Amino acid sequence: MSDTTELHTRLAAEPLGSVVIFAPSPLLTITVEEQAGEPDIHLHAGGQGVWQARMVRVIGATPILCASFAGETGRVLQHLITDEGFDLRAVQRSGQGAAYIHDRRTGHRQHIVETGGDPINRHALDTLYGQTLRAALSADVVLLSGPHGDRALPADVYRRLAADLRDRSAKVMVDLAGPRLDAALQGGVDIVKISHDELLADRRVSSTEPVEIVRAMRAIQDHGADVVLVTRAELPLLMLAGDAVQQVTAPRMAVLDATGAGDSFTAAVAACLAQQQSVEQAAVIGAAAGALSVTRHGLGTGDRSAIIDLSRFVQISPFAADAPEPRVRLSPVQLARLIRKGPSDASPDHE
């Protein structure tokens, strides 16, 4: 089991470290639930960067969101993010913003309608770029997240941002895939997080065999990353740092909603790095945050003490291609205690 005593002590203190999150195109989420037999409609701020900001704050670092807003949905969205108390560096732009409507009355997400919004115009993009660079001057970590919608901005923006940010003292972490990841690697980054599904979709691998994933991780490292983290759903995540490949194994939890587990992992890693933890310690906390997130509906939400408690059961070990996949088991009593603790958090059930 992992020794997180020092990290537990630090996370129990006041917020420490800051993470700037480049969230170019957040979205308005509208979800229909059922309460006492009647429809119950919820409006929340969402999108990869927003979900990550919530988990950064749960872990104990300060998130700074750099985002653009457009149209009627953008006006509502900006108010919702501000109401959550985030340090928001907002850029107004023309066009329509991103949004979705989901129906969850059956217990599963049914996608009713979704829009990626209009592309960010050149003037707004220049302003957002400048806002991000200014915020990064005093940040510990800069996290480059993707937009909601493929047309939002050119992939080359990530190359330029990564290159400009690497000239500053903050660590640069990306949670990207496809052409955006390729562009960021050209600029050079400290940490890449990608899922095994994204590796398949990008044709960086032809199967999810661990040996093939490790080859792809080394290729990503060779193209401009120091550390590569690959999440594999319920299987142990793989971490390449230097020449060493390690696997990080968290207990398997009963899945209520797996949406956003990867974002919780990424954000927890970024928050721990901002608190000057090692990448190994950060991966352990990230694995715990991702594992617990599947027991909740709210995306990017969680309970700090439950995450720390679960992290004590996370195992980190050298990767061996011929070894069986490790498993971590919790007793029913341990599992019940952790799940009860998570939803006790007073924060709202965000989408």
Side-chain angles (χ1 to χ4, degrees):
M1 293 192 296
S2 302
D3 182 5
T4 55
T5 302
E6 178 186 356
L7 186 54
H8 186 282
T9 301
R10 298 188 69 176
L11 292 184
E14 292 298 314
L16 179 68
S18 62
V19 179
V20 168
I21 301 174
F22 178 70
S25 177
L27 77 155
L28 177 67
T29 73
I30 303 172
T31 306
V32 184
E33 304 271 9
E34 185 170 301
Q35 182 72 27
E38 297 293 330
D40 188 21
I41 300 174
H42 298 265
L43 275 71
H44 293 298
Q48 186 182 45
V50 175
W51 295 324
Q52 290 168 341
R54 291 191 184 115
M55 182 54 67
V56 165
R57 187 163 61 184
V58 166
I59 298 300
T62 299
I64 302 168
L65 267 173
C66 299
S68 70
F69 299 90
E72 294 177 357
T73 58
R75 288 193 290 274
V76 174
L77 183 55
Q78 187 172 345
H79 280 294
L80 290 172
I81 293 175
T82 302
D83 287 348
E84 288 191 51
F86 288 122
D87 183 346
L88 176 63
R89 314 296 168 88
V91 175
Q92 309 301 325
R93 61 184 175 94
S94 59
Q96 295 300 312
Y100 72 53
I101 301 175
H102 287 177
D103 190 334
R104 216 163 57 184
R105 284 175 289 180
T106 62
H108 302 282
R109 290 180 184 270
Q110 180 183 359
H111 296 245
I112 305 301
V113 66
E114 185 166 347
T115 175
D118 292 326
I120 305 172
N121 63 65
R122 180 173 60 85
H123 295 295
L125 189 54
D126 286 346
T127 303
L128 181 61
Y129 193 100
Q131 292 271 39
T132 304
L133 290 182
R134 282 194 291 275
L137 290 174
S138 58
D140 299 287
V141 174
V142 180
L143 176 54
L144 303 183
S145 69
H148 191 80
D150 292 334
R151 302 185 306 134
L153 75 168
D156 191 60
V157 171
Y158 290 94
R159 177 192 62 80
R160 294 192 295 115
L161 257 180
D164 287 341
L165 290 167
R166 285 276 279 196
D167 291 336
R168 291 157 173 79
S169 60
K171 287 184 173 65
V172 179
M173 182 175 185
V174 301
D175 189 351
L176 303 167
R180 296 188 188 103
L181 174 56
D182 291 332
L185 290 172
Q186 290 178 34
V189 301
D190 294 288
I191 303 155
V192 168
K193 179 270 174 182
I194 190 169
S195 72
H196 69 308
D197 288 335
E198 290 168 328
L199 289 175
L200 273 173
D202 289 353
R203 298 185 178 179
R204 300 179 196 271
V205 297
S206 58
S207 76
T208 58
E209 289 298 315
V211 172
E212 191 168 351
I213 290 176
V214 169
R215 279 199 295 268
M217 293 169 72
R218 294 195 185 280
I220 290 172
Q221 187 183 56
D222 290 342
H223 281 87
D226 293 339
V227 176
V228 182
L229 301 164
V230 176
T231 55
R232 300 189 296 152
E234 76 280 359
L235 296 176
L237 69 94
L238 298 175
M239 176 174 62
L240 172 62
D243 293 328
V245 180
Q246 299 182 84
Q247 54 193 358
V248 183
T249 309
R252 296 189 184 183
M253 312 297 283
V255 177
L256 178 63
D257 187 349
T259 307
D263 293 325
S264 290
F265 167 79
T266 300
V269 170
C272 288
L273 292 174
Q275 297 173 353
Q276 308 306 311
Q277 302 301 314
S278 69
V279 68
E280 289 82 8
Q281 288 174 312
V284 166
I285 297 298
L292 268 180
S293 74
V294 305
T295 69
R296 305 171 63 95
H297 277 311
L299 303 185
T301 63
D303 180 273
R304 186 184 314 176
S305 60
I307 291 169
I308 298 301
D309 287 347
L310 184 64
S311 74
R312 302 184 194 281
F313 298 92
V314 174
Q315 296 178 353
I316 183 166
S317 59
F319 169 74
D322 55 351
E325 296 280 6
R327 292 285 298 269
V328 176
R329 299 185 184 277
L330 295 180
S331 71
V333 172
Q334 291 169 327
L335 183 60
R337 185 181 299 123
L338 285 165
I339 293 178
R340 279 200 306 270
K341 183 177 288 187
S344 67
D345 180 46
S347 61
D349 188 18
H350 298 291
E351 275 302 302

